[in-house]
Amino acid sequence: MTEQQFEHDVVVVGGCGHVGLPLAIALADSGASVLVYDLSQDAVATVNSGQLPFDEPGADDKLKAAVADGRLRAHTDPAVVGGAEHVVVVIGTPVDEHLNPDPQAIPRALDACADHLRDGQLLVLRSTVFPGVTRLVEQLVAERGLAIDVSFCPERIAEGKAMTELYSLPQIVSGRDQRVRERAAALFRRLTGTIVELEPEEAELAKLFTNTWRYIKFAAVNQFYMIAESRGLDFERIRQGLVQDYPRAADMPSAGFAAGPCLFKDTMQLAAFNDNNFALGHAAMLVNEGLPLHVVSQLEQEHDLRNCTVGILGASFKAGSDDIRSSLAYKLKRILGFRAKHVLMTDPYVTVDPDLVPLDRVLSESDVLVVATPHPEYRAITTDKPVADVWNVLGTEVAQ
Ligand SMILES: NC(=O)c1ccc[n+]([C@@H]2O[C@H](COP(=O)([O-])OP(=O)(O)OC[C@H]3O[C@@H](n4cnc5c(N)ncnc54)[C@H](O)[C@@H]3O)[C@@H](O)[C@H]2O)c1
């Protein structure tokens, strides 16, 4: 590969997003000179003002410092893609309304800036991709006659934990040969000491298996929850009882809405990859997506919801987050919109939904409450109103 000089170390394509931006910040904090390329003008302006476009604990001060001393700068001009040795691609890879993945999402995004790619660069794919996309990108690069190494290095952080997990999780790196893997490993050694090498096709599946495994585990406990609750038993008491001092069940999570932009769609990507022969994945989807319906049906057994105001506590898809993407709280809201007299929703973190109302109003005006998101703030709530609390936020504790 030709030796080239680059003015910057890294450019992150999609670098104003939920995983691209924490990575850009962490790399800048490690001393790298980082460019961000993103289509969103608003997010680029926000980042260049030293502000995060979304909550990410621990990233705020590091972003301010990196912007202030010029180690991180965001752009909407695709020409910046040619300015750094490492090009890391972290754009979104959603499934469509028919649950089809889009294997062309990454090649299309790269095509738009391919004129700026330069020999000698390392192209790191970091989005979660449909298996085979790494090879498609290798072909795209070859067809354009570019001497560029291509590596797939999946991101496995959880939102809200990026600024610790980028440093603590092992990093899977993959590439067609050892030299490519070494280049990718050298980049990520800036953040973490543990590098795991796989072939690209193995790494693509490793990422999908990681998320699908988690989604199926949540589905298992959610099904257990529905079995227990429909017989009038408290699932969380049972769970706490069975995991106590029993290592083989120590990883059994609590029940709760399994939502957000990744787990569901990556399970569907895996199903599509296997020609839709994925009974376990589809069953997990039915259980997890069915939980809000189950909660409403259980409520209807005890309350005439047509005459009730139902208050939903939480809008984001997970605790302590302002991210409402694919949140099941909104599915719950839609169901209740048909079945209840009135629905109110509140969330202490979410700022993008003008229909949310303050917590006090939800607590005073609702006849029935549903905890949709286990925000820590809700643990302090005391109410004599009926509460549907899948997450057990208001608390069952088994006597020790
Ligand atoms: N959110 C997570 O917790 C998480 C964790 C691990 C992996 N992932 C994966 O990371 C990828 C990104 O997810 P995300 O949650 O950060 O998405 P996101 O929507 O928050 O961020 C994507 C960013 O890419 C930008 N963008 C879209 N198309 C572009 C293009 N053609 N050129 C330049 N910029 C473009 C968008 O403006 C946005 O800022 C997905 O593949 C996802 O599955 C997400």
Side-chain angles (χ1 to χ4, degrees):
M1 184 132 311
T2 341
E3 280 293 314
Q4 291 276 347
Q5 292 298 313
F6 294 93
E7 198 181 333
H8 302 276
D9 298 306
V10 186
V11 54
V12 184
V13 177
C16 289
H18 287 80
V19 296
L21 186 54
L23 177 70
I25 293 169
L27 288 169
D29 190 55
S30 78
S33 169
V34 178
L35 299 167
V36 160
Y37 165 55
D38 201 288
L39 295 182
S40 167
Q41 289 188 354
D42 287 350
V44 163
T46 305
V47 167
N48 285 336
S49 72
Q51 308 289 315
L52 291 165
F54 45 81
D55 282 347
E56 187 57 55
D60 215 2
D61 289 347
K62 287 183 173 175
L63 173 62
K64 280 190 180 65
V67 169
D69 70 13
R71 273 174 292 122
L72 188 151
R73 184 87 196 152
H75 302 262
T76 52
D77 179 357
V80 297
V81 167
E85 180 186 349
H86 305 93
V87 181
V88 182
V89 182
V90 206
I91 65 162
T93 49
V95 290
D96 71 12
E97 71 272 35
H98 304 292
L99 306 182
N100 295 310
D102 180 1
Q104 293 300 331
I106 304 277
R108 218 172 23 247
L110 279 172
D111 220 27
C113 46
D115 287 345
H116 307 288
L117 292 171
R118 286 168 54 194
D119 287 351
Q121 288 182 311
L122 173 69
L123 183 54
V124 175
L125 309 181
R126 194 152 177 78
S127 302
T128 306
V129 300
F130 187 73
V133 164
T134 307
R135 193 171 284 287
L136 278 181
V137 170
E138 287 168 340
Q139 284 164 2
L140 185 149
V141 162
E143 281 161 13
R144 286 186 166 255
L146 290 162
I148 285 179
D149 286 329
V150 178
S151 175
F152 173 65
C153 305
E155 177 61 86
R156 294 193 297 166
I157 55 131
E159 275 179 51
K161 296 185 177 167
M163 299 315 289
T164 53
E165 291 189 346
L166 277 167
Y167 304 96
S168 62
L169 294 182
Q171 177 61 52
I172 294 174
V173 303
S174 72
R176 219 40 85 184
D177 59 41
Q178 192 55 33
R179 193 180 50 80
V180 176
R181 291 192 289 269
E182 289 290 347
R183 283 187 83 186
L187 175 66
F188 287 104
R189 272 198 204 97
R190 283 177 167 277
L191 306 181
T192 179
T194 315
I195 302 291
V196 180
E197 293 191 12
L198 290 174
E199 294 300 317
E201 287 69 24
E202 293 171 338
E204 289 173 340
L205 278 181
K207 171 63 196 184
L208 290 184
F209 288 168
T210 302
N211 277 2
T212 303
W213 173 239
R214 202 162 149 73
Y215 192 65
I216 289 172
K217 276 209 286 195
F218 288 139
V221 290
N222 285 337
Q223 181 93 73
F224 295 162
Y225 171 89
M226 291 188 241
I227 292 170
E229 297 289 320
S230 59
R231 281 155 184 79
L233 295 169
D234 182 335
F235 169 71
E236 186 54 21
R237 273 182 61 79
I238 300 170
R239 191 192 71 85
Q240 289 188 23
L242 80 88
V243 300
Q244 189 175 322
D245 300 330
Y246 191 72
R248 280 190 290 279
D251 65 344
M252 181 184 278
S254 301
F257 290 168
C262 290
L263 301 187
F264 172 96
K265 70 103 173 154
D266 288 340
T267 305
M268 293 303 102
Q269 292 212 84
L270 188 55
F273 176 64
N274 208 38
D275 295 335
N276 266 0
N277 293 314
F278 190 21
L280 201 50
H282 283 124
M285 184 259 274
L286 293 177
V287 171
N288 287 331
E289 289 288 307
L291 189 53
L293 282 156
H294 172 88
V295 168
V296 174
S297 299
Q298 289 288 107
L299 279 176
E300 280 176 327
Q301 288 182 15
E302 294 182 13
H303 309 278
D304 181 6
L305 293 186
R306 289 165 306 175
N307 290 313
C308 288
T309 294
V310 181
I312 300 176
L313 305 179
S316 63
F317 83 86
K318 67 194 258 184
S321 166
D322 63 353
D323 193 347
I324 60 169
R325 292 178 298 167
S326 305
S327 170
L328 283 175
Y330 282 90
K331 181 165 187 169
L332 178 72
K333 190 180 180 203
R334 269 196 305 280
I335 299 162
L336 287 167
F338 284 116
R339 304 216 200 158
K341 184 171 134 203
H342 194 46
V343 186
L344 296 171
M345 197 181 205
T346 185
D347 193 293
Y349 296 86
V350 174
T351 53
V352 292
D353 182 350
D355 292 335
L356 298 183
V357 299
L359 175 62
D360 286 351
R361 188 174 154 206
V362 171
L363 293 179
S364 65
E365 292 183 19
S366 302
D367 304 300
V368 178
L369 297 164
V370 185
V371 182
T373 317
H375 290 311
E377 289 79 357
Y378 298 152
R379 294 189 192 284
I381 291 175
T382 48
T383 177
D384 49 12
K385 296 188 173 168
V387 187
D389 185 10
V390 179
W391 299 93
N392 191 44
V393 170
L394 307 191
T396 290
E397 270 189 46
V398 176
Q400 297 292 309

